[in-house]
Structures are given as structure tokens and as C-alpha cells.
Amino acid sequence: MALRSALSLGINLRLTDTQTPEAAKEARGRLWWSIYSLEHLLTSVTGRASSVSESICSVPSPFPCEEETFEHPEAKRLFQDPTLRETHLRPTLFEASNQADLQSWTTACPPCPSLFFHNLVDLSLLTQALMNKVYSIEGLRQGPSRLEFHVQKFGLKMDRWLAKLSPAYQFTLPDAGPWHLNHPQLDDLAAPFVRERVCLAMNYYSARITLCRPCLTHIHTNTQGRSSASLSSNPDLSSRTKLRLEMATH
């Protein structure tokens, strides 16, 4: 109901007028992303299909700084230049492949509730898109090769999201793979930002499980009745099987 009311009121659309203060625009945008995140959470918990797609809104990503810093020169520069803001705060889902090696502007942002919300929304947008691609009727019709493409694509996107986290919110060991949790850091309940790290970690690994789940159901079918020689004689089949084994292991 909240989602449909928001759509009816146009809260999912970007405000371009110059009369509305930037703080009011940002509050309106955060309201939309709060409703979006709630919709994503409910669909994840209940397992029901969502009516939300990644192209349903034109609202920019939530600003990763608190309202009292909106008058700072850097924040004002981003608010006054929508193109610059889009470049610095583009969602991971919509980043081009040549941006994967660039340092993210949000990585250097000081930890605060707004930055945490920005990271959570960014991951929710990515996870909802993969659910729409992998678990939809369209995804099933596209066949296994397209499924593997989406698994690889969204796997790389999730790696990028993880790399963009500020040091205060990182929950994996430095210079390790995405599966190497920093357990001592997460177990220390007195450490700063431990709640935020645990929440981001739970959502991240939930998204990873969602992404890799189809590989568990297809790996047996692909390898059943085939010898290792027949697999190695077909490089394409062998590489596809290797990908599914790797994702199933993850």
C-alpha cells in the first residue's frame, strides 16, 4: 500500500524545480528509498514476487552525509550539479565496467547513519535487480547460458559493492576474498559500528545465497551421466560446469 501510494504521489520521480530546498528534496528521496527498501525486505522474507523494477524511479541515490553537512562546499557542489552527483553516487547496479577499478567517492565518506542507509539501498537495488533477472519468468525462458551470464555479472557487481564500503563498515578480512569474514571484529560488541557491519554482512551474504541458489539445482543435471573425458572434450561445457561448481560451493 505504501509503495502504490508513493507511486501515485510521484515520490519516485526526481524533483527538478529550483524553489524546493535541497534538504526537502533529499528528505523526499529518502522517503522513497525507505519504502523501496521495505518492499524489498518483505519480498525477501515472504518469497513473493515484487512489482518493483530497477527502472521504476528517477530519484537519485540517498546522499551519504547527514543533513547538518549539506552546507559544506563539497556537498553543495554535488547538490548544485546533478551530473556530478550522478557520477559520484551512481548505484553499483548502473556502473559501467570501466568504473570497476575506480576509487568510490563514498569510500572516503565518514561513517554516519546516512552513509549506512546509502550502502544498504545500493545493495537492495542490486539484489532486487538480480531477483528480477534470475527468478522471473523471463529469466527462466532465456535458458541456462543466460542464467550463467547473470550469475557472473551480478557476482562482479557484488564484489564491487563490497569494495566500495568505507573502512568503518567493512566486514571481511583485508586482502582476502568476499567469503573471509572478520570474525573478531564482528564478535566484539563494544567495537564502533558493529551493528552496521553485521547488518550489511547479513544482507550481503543473503544476496550471495540468492544469486548462487540456481547453481545448486542445475549442477546435478549438467553433470549427470557425463564422464570427465566428455566434459574436458567440450571446453564450453567444461567452463560452464566449472562456473556452476564454483557458485554451488560458494
Side-chain angles (χ1 to χ4, degrees):
M1 184 181 296
L3 178 68
R4 281 164 175 75
S5 297
L7 295 174
S8 299
L9 294 170
I11 296 177
N12 60 317
L13 303 178
R14 181 195 298 264
L15 283 180
T16 57
D17 69 280
T18 58
Q19 303 300 320
T20 305
E22 296 300 336
K25 291 182 181 179
E26 184 61 26
R28 178 188 173 103
R30 291 181 181 184
L31 172 60
W32 162 254
W33 288 118
S34 297
I35 295 172
Y36 178 94
S37 300
L38 179 59
E39 167 72 7
H40 171 70
L41 177 62
L42 291 174
T43 56
S44 300
V45 170
T46 61
R48 295 179 179 177
S50 173
S51 58
V52 176
S53 68
E54 56 270 24
S55 59
I56 199 172
C57 75
S58 57
V59 177
S61 297
F63 203 73
C65 301
E66 294 295 274
E67 187 174 341
E68 54 266 25
T69 66
F70 285 0
E71 292 300 319
H72 289 185
E74 181 67 11
K76 288 184 69 174
R77 192 165 67 95
L78 292 181
F79 278 128
Q80 294 169 0
D81 189 343
T83 303
L84 184 64
R85 176 173 177 171
E86 173 65 21
T87 302
H88 281 35
L89 300 177
R90 180 170 296 162
T92 305
L93 177 64
F94 301 120
E95 282 188 342
S97 56
N98 59 358
Q99 293 179 288
D101 297 327
L102 299 178
Q103 181 73 12
S104 172
W105 187 78
T106 57
T107 305
C109 290
C112 63
S114 296
L115 177 61
F116 169 71
F117 183 61
H118 174 90
N119 290 330
L120 200 58
V121 166
D122 193 27
L123 182 60
S124 296
L125 189 63
L126 184 59
T127 309
Q128 190 62 50
L130 85 84
M131 291 173 66
N132 293 339
K133 293 293 185 183
V134 175
Y135 292 93
S136 64
I137 297 297
E138 177 188 1
L140 293 174
R141 289 172 176 168
Q142 290 177 342
S145 61
R146 196 64 181 171
L147 171 67
E148 289 151 7
F149 168 78
H150 288 313
V151 168
Q152 287 183 305
K153 172 187 172 182
F154 284 107
L156 293 174
K157 292 286 187 182
M158 289 183 185
D159 289 341
R160 170 62 175 163
W161 178 87
L162 189 63
K164 290 165 63 176
L165 287 179
S166 68
Y169 293 154
Q170 289 174 0
F171 47 82
T172 56
L173 292 171
D175 304 319
W179 307 104
H180 296 82
L181 272 169
N182 192 337
H183 287 284
Q185 186 186 54
L186 295 178
D187 291 339
D188 184 6
L189 299 182
F193 309 112
V194 65
R195 177 182 177 275
E196 288 83 354
R197 282 196 297 270
V198 169
C199 182
L200 292 172
M202 292 287 286
N203 280 272
Y204 172 78
Y205 289 116
S206 175
R208 279 285 187 178
I209 291 170
T210 301
L211 177 64
C212 299
R213 173 66 179 83
C215 296
L216 293 176
T217 58
H218 289 283
I219 186 65
H220 180 70
T221 305
N222 280 355
T223 57
Q224 188 176 24
R226 299 179 187 272
S227 65
S228 58
S230 65
L231 291 174
S232 60
S233 64
N234 188 333
D236 179 60
L237 182 60
S238 180
S239 62
R240 289 174 59 183
T241 303
K242 181 180 179 181
L243 170 66
R244 290 183 179 275
L245 280 170
E246 180 183 349
M247 289 300 174
T249 302
H250 287 333

